[in-house]
Amino acid sequence: QLRQMSLDNAKLIAALKGGQGEKPLTAAQQFKQTKETAKSAFGLRAQDDDFNSLVTEAAAITNSKGLKGAQGYGTLLPSMPSGDVAKTEALIEGFKSRVKKIGLDQVRTGGSIGAMTEREWPIVEQMVANINPRAGNVQEQMNIVTAKLQQMRTNSRQLHAETYGEESLPKMKAPPAVKPGSRTASGSGSTATGALGTASNPIRLD
């Protein structure tokens, strides 16, 4: 279905550009195509913002002071309500909730981005649901989620380019880098040297 939508829109683009074998678009068709292209580009920009915000939240979790106590055998011990472990646990639950909300928002966007999200987002939701601090590898689990989000972003941009032309692709926004010693969302100092992870164990998105 996505591929057929891409092909149909590509034909309209070819006609708009005066491609051989295609009838010129009417004014109404040109207006519709321009509107759909702009809507898709807007969806890509929103997707970039959502991805970058999740990268920041994941970094806050993997660099939080309470992470060690919030995973592995530490989960068997009760945490102080105002302590670092409790803050990290709240960040993890908040991350899961944010992923669900972002997925729903992107599906509602409609068009190419919405269709792509509707197909792939359940996979991301399952990955997030599988984040289990008791396993002791929260950073690795976060890496899996962010890598999938990056793949979705790449696929969405490819579909947009095939449908509306590469020249209409908005510039991709780079993920924010967490500088050494900066404050994360948990209020703790960070030792990160990149978008995610720590200097000794960075999270890669490629």
Side-chain angles (χ1 to χ4, degrees):
Q1 183 180 2
L2 283 172
R3 182 61 56 186
Q4 186 59 48
M5 178 181 13
S6 177
L7 290 174
D8 291 343
N9 282 314
K11 288 180 180 179
L12 288 175
I13 288 289
L16 183 61
K17 295 180 178 179
Q20 294 182 354
E22 299 288 351
K23 294 181 180 180
L25 293 180
T26 64
Q29 288 175 320
Q30 289 185 33
F31 176 78
K32 179 181 178 181
Q33 188 63 36
T34 300
K35 186 177 180 180
E36 289 179 353
T37 301
K39 182 178 181 180
S40 181
F42 176 84
L44 288 176
R45 294 188 185 95
Q47 191 177 55
D48 274 357
D49 290 338
D50 290 336
F51 172 77
N52 290 340
S53 69
L54 287 176
V55 166
T56 300
E57 290 183 32
I61 293 170
T62 58
N63 296 314
S64 62
K65 288 182 178 180
L67 180 60
K68 184 176 181 180
Q71 59 182 340
Y73 290 112
T75 60
L76 302 177
L77 302 174
S79 56
M80 296 292 291
S82 59
D84 292 328
V85 173
K87 290 178 181 178
T88 298
E89 291 171 343
L91 286 173
I92 293 173
E93 292 306 311
F95 179 84
K96 291 182 177 183
S97 297
R98 277 272 294 149
V99 168
K100 291 180 181 180
K101 181 181 184 304
I102 286 174
L104 181 61
D105 289 345
Q106 289 191 7
V107 169
R108 288 173 175 169
T109 298
S112 301
I113 304 303
M116 178 70 71
T117 303
E118 187 173 11
R119 185 182 70 177
E120 295 201 60
W121 201 258
I123 300 174
V124 177
E125 283 192 315
Q126 187 57 53
M127 288 178 173
V128 171
N130 290 339
I131 294 177
N132 180 16
R134 186 168 294 182
N137 61 341
V138 170
Q139 188 165 327
E140 180 181 345
Q141 294 171 35
M142 287 290 181
N143 185 36
I144 292 173
V145 172
T146 51
K148 179 59 181 176
L149 292 172
Q150 176 64 65
Q151 181 188 26
M152 280 186 62
R153 186 164 70 154
T154 299
N155 291 345
S156 295
R157 291 179 65 83
Q158 181 178 350
L159 181 61
H160 176 98
E162 292 175 353
T163 306
Y164 305 108
E166 291 187 8
E167 66 278 3
S168 65
L169 272 174
K171 185 177 180 181
M172 182 181 285
K173 300 178 182 178
V178 180
K179 298 179 181 179
S182 64
R183 290 285 178 179
T184 64
S186 65
S188 62
S190 168
T191 57
T193 56
L196 285 176
T198 62
S200 60
N201 189 15
I203 290 183
R204 298 177 60 85
L205 299 181
D206 54 6

